[in-house]
Amino acid sequence: MTTDHEAIRNANGRVAHAIARMLFACGARHAVLAPGSRSTPLVIALAAAGFELQVVHDERSGAFIALGVARATATPALFVTTSGSAVVHAYPAIVEASVDGVAMLLLSADRPLELIGSGSNQTMRQHGIFGGFTLRDYDLVAEPSVDVRHIEARARDAFLLATTQRGPVHINVRFKKPLEIDARSSADAAAQVVPTCAPVARGQQRILDDLDFDSIVVGRLVDAQDIVCAARIVTAFGVPTHATITSGLRSQAIEGLTDKTQAPLFHGCEALIDDAALLRWVFGKRVLWLGGPTVSARLGEALRAAGAAVTRIGSCGDGDDLATTIWDTPLREVLVPEIPASRRDAARCRAAVELVARLASIDARLEAPLEARIARAVCASIERDAVLFIANSAPVRDVDRYVAHVAAASSHCNRGVSGIDGTLSTAYGVALGSGAPVALLCGDVAFLHDAGSMSAFDKSVRLRVVVIDNHGGGIFERLPIAQETAHAEIYERCIVAAHDVDLAALAACYGMRAQRVATQGELATALAQPIEGFEVLVIETDRHEEARSRRAHREAFRRALAELGPWPPKA
């Protein structure tokens, strides 16, 4: 005769194994776990199902690692947590996954429903805690009477929803004690109905057939099919194209962008924004904008001020405020037309292409600020099979402005809400998921923010972290308050948050290989070495000198633009 104790234990096992088996059958392979008691059934079941398990000490870091794995694999990664405040630590990563359209599954263990509000230890309302940032929230109960077919169906639905609609899904599971279930093999599973995720039909929307554009802007893209489609659209139209660094079009492994001479890509649009006449010549009156926002927050407003008509496709409602026409269609569903040369304004296009070439030559002639040169060195050092991860704040802006092309197979950035939180963890997750060497370019504050995550990092994972250390938030030197002496103390203490932490020594405390490099020459020597495990390179800069250098560079660029004279030059 089965006791209540045994019945509960068996129910916990049936529910946990049903979830793990189904998610594994759907194609999930990676699970990131944080320690805890209430999640014991899920942990045992995931191990039995064959998941690759990554254990962390900090739930915030673990959620970002899962986000990085999902970015690299384009498959939902699992983050598993115990009950209570542990769940809340996943919030920043869930928000990023939601805004940037990354498939992710959060499995949280919970206490029985009757204990909510009772004052019971480590008990709070978990179901629905992420508000509108999750695609759906499931609240499952492990009870002897539960039919596991329904549990399997919910796990299947969660995976399918995260995969097709690209975002996070929360599965909350309530377990009673005892929690120590049998470690049964996934072979014990009953027959399961596994979803088949057919590829989205491509070429169904002929919205570009009769449209003409003077230029193209490619904003943030996450889905690989969207990136390939954008590359084909750019190639088909053959007009000047600004591809932001988060578009995926500046990486070398882009199928479809076969002839860049017919599709001239350019970067550094920030240099044009203050010259309305040249901006109009490069972008023209009709602009096709593919995907989400660009790294430059000013480009959209500048195009509107210049009187350009902007057609947006594939934005998913992100940044459409400045659009004249909006097509709410994923890029991968757009048929790429054949554009006859007669449809182009050949003279205007030639003048715009020549202007883009002149801008590139100015960029090459002028010495960039030091931190921008560091960004260029890191990007140039990456091998073709490697991956680049770029931190927010100054690094992503510098790569967008000063780096024309990245040799890496792909590049990533947590640009959904543009936070610096979880930078190390996400990059580590990308390295885990891709299996490729990864180079991370980040600032000192981003490194400090996530330094604790290194406690659980596998030292053999191939991740090189290059930290630009200006001892505080150097990007804030660009704010007006940086020049106001009346607020100097508040600015230094509360905005820059200056520090004197030895970042190399901090990394060494976690057992990581770390070194300070004093010059660009030393950095180049270190970057020339293959990425063989986790390592940290720290190069210091002076943020005050950097700010002066950037002002001087902007002025030199403006003078060079003025020397071009009226455009196009008269024959």
Side-chain angles (χ1 to χ4, degrees):
M1 181 176 181
T2 303
T3 66
D4 290 344
H5 187 276
E6 291 171 329
I8 292 171
R9 184 172 182 266
N10 290 339
N12 287 343
R14 289 168 60 239
V15 168
H17 282 294
I19 293 171
R21 288 194 306 256
M22 177 54 77
L23 293 178
F24 192 87
C26 288
R29 292 295 181 269
H30 294 270
V32 185
L33 318 171
S37 171
R38 190 63 52 164
S39 54
T40 298
L42 292 172
V43 173
I44 294 174
L46 291 170
F51 277 84
E52 294 183 33
L53 306 182
Q54 173 74 25
V55 181
V56 299
H57 303 125
D58 170 18
E59 289 87 359
R60 180 199 54 79
S61 170
F64 274 108
I65 291 174
L67 174 71
V69 171
R71 284 191 182 281
T73 62
T75 302
L78 280 56
F79 175 60
V80 184
T81 181
T82 190
S83 63
S85 63
V87 183
V88 184
H89 288 279
Y91 219 116
I94 292 294
V95 171
E96 177 65 26
S98 173
V99 176
D100 219 12
V102 180
M104 186 174 166
L105 295 173
L106 171 64
L107 274 64
S108 61
D110 202 352
R111 307 287 167 129
L113 185 61
E114 62 269 20
L115 294 183
I116 304 300
S118 69
S120 179
N121 183 49
Q122 211 167 318
T123 303
M124 55 177 274
R125 184 179 62 81
Q126 295 177 191
H127 176 242
I129 196 170
F130 299 106
F133 290 109
T134 45
L135 296 172
R136 190 166 297 170
D137 301 275
Y138 296 98
D139 198 15
L140 308 182
V141 179
E143 292 283 358
S145 61
V146 169
D147 188 335
V148 293
R149 289 181 303 167
H150 298 305
I151 301 297
E152 289 178 340
R154 298 295 76 73
R156 178 195 64 212
D157 294 347
F159 183 92
L160 199 57
L161 189 64
T163 302
T164 57
Q165 296 193 25
R166 294 184 297 178
V169 176
H170 180 198
I171 303 176
N172 190 61
V173 192
R174 300 182 184 277
F175 296 109
K176 294 180 179 179
K177 291 182 178 181
L179 303 170
E180 296 75 19
I181 66 172
D182 290 333
R184 295 179 298 177
S185 167
S186 58
D188 298 333
Q192 303 165 52
V193 179
V194 179
T196 299
C197 299
V200 179
R202 297 178 61 184
Q204 301 302 304
Q205 302 291 330
R206 307 187 68 92
I207 56 182
L208 293 176
D209 281 13
D210 301 316
L211 300 177
D212 293 315
F213 301 100
D214 299 317
S215 64
I216 297 175
V217 172
V218 188
R220 187 179 74 241
L221 296 173
V222 177
D223 185 87
Q225 292 184 49
D226 288 347
I227 294 172
V228 170
C229 188
R232 290 174 176 164
I233 292 172
V234 167
T235 302
F237 277 91
V239 295
T241 297
H242 170 66
T244 195
I245 190 60
T246 53
S247 68
L249 294 194
R250 291 203 218 165
S251 299
Q252 60 90 8
I254 298 300
E255 174 193 350
L257 197 58
T258 56
D259 189 351
K260 291 186 180 178
T261 60
Q262 296 300 314
L265 299 180
F266 67 93
H267 65 290
C269 69
E270 282 285 320
L272 280 174
I273 288 175
D274 295 325
D275 193 314
L278 292 181
L279 183 82
R280 281 192 291 269
W281 259 107
V282 171
F283 287 99
K285 297 179 180 179
R286 302 162 300 177
V287 180
L288 173 62
W289 191 308
L290 307 176
T294 56
V295 170
S296 170
R298 301 198 298 155
L299 179 59
E301 288 284 0
L303 291 175
R304 186 178 71 166
V310 178
T311 298
R312 294 289 298 264
I313 302 177
S315 64
C316 300
D318 191 356
D320 286 336
D321 305 42
L322 305 172
T324 309
T325 305
I326 300 168
W327 290 92
D328 188 17
T329 303
L331 281 181
R332 58 191 177 279
E333 295 182 14
V334 175
L335 177 67
V336 181
E338 293 185 10
I339 309 294
S342 59
R343 274 178 56 179
R344 302 190 187 101
D345 184 341
R348 202 216 74 82
C349 189
R350 282 196 301 272
V353 169
E354 172 61 22
L355 179 53
V356 167
R358 295 281 187 93
L359 295 175
S361 68
I362 293 173
D363 234 7
R365 187 173 75 246
L366 297 178
E367 183 177 70
L370 174 58
E371 292 183 6
R373 281 179 275 145
I374 294 171
R376 283 176 172 172
V378 172
C379 293
S381 72
I382 300 173
E383 298 181 358
R384 293 176 63 85
D385 65 340
V387 177
L388 172 67
F389 195 95
I390 316 165
N392 279 304
S393 195
V396 71
R397 288 172 170 84
D398 282 345
V399 175
D400 189 65
R401 167 64 183 87
Y402 294 101
V403 178
H405 181 66
V406 176
S410 62
S411 60
H412 299 276
C413 178
N414 280 346
R415 202 62 186 165
V417 285
S418 303
I420 63 170
D421 192 11
T423 298
L424 281 174
S425 299
T426 312
Y428 181 80
V430 169
L432 282 178
S434 66
V438 175
L440 164 63
L441 176 66
C442 74
D444 53 308
V445 178
F447 184 84
L448 278 172
H449 202 299
D450 204 21
S453 63
M454 290 187 288
S455 66
F457 285 1
D458 182 343
K459 299 177 183 62
S460 68
V461 171
R462 294 182 293 170
L463 175 59
R464 171 178 288 156
V465 183
V466 181
V467 186
I468 299 175
D469 183 9
N470 51 42
H471 298 280
I475 193 171
F476 298 127
E477 292 288 336
R478 308 174 197 184
L479 298 177
I481 193 174
Q483 310 304 318
E484 297 181 7
T485 56
H487 301 299
E489 184 179 352
I490 289 292
Y491 169 73
E492 190 73 10
R493 180 185 175 196
C494 302
I495 297 178
V496 170
H499 69 86
D500 59 0
V501 178
D502 185 334
L503 301 182
L506 177 61
C509 285
Y510 290 101
M512 302 301 178
R513 288 189 296 123
Q515 64 171 309
R516 284 190 295 272
V517 290
T519 66
Q520 276 200 283
E522 289 183 15
L523 177 63
T525 299
L527 293 175
Q529 303 303 311
I531 301 175
E532 297 177 341
F534 191 97
E535 67 171 328
V536 178
L537 304 176
V538 181
I539 182 166
E540 294 188 356
T541 64
D542 184 313
R543 53 188 162 85
H544 303 295
E545 179 57 36
E546 183 71 15
R548 287 189 290 269
S549 175
R550 288 177 184 273
R551 288 193 293 270
H553 184 271
R554 283 196 300 272
E555 288 304 317
F557 207 99
R558 289 191 184 109
R559 289 194 299 271
L561 290 180
E563 291 171 3
L564 290 176
W567 195 267
K570 295 182 179 179

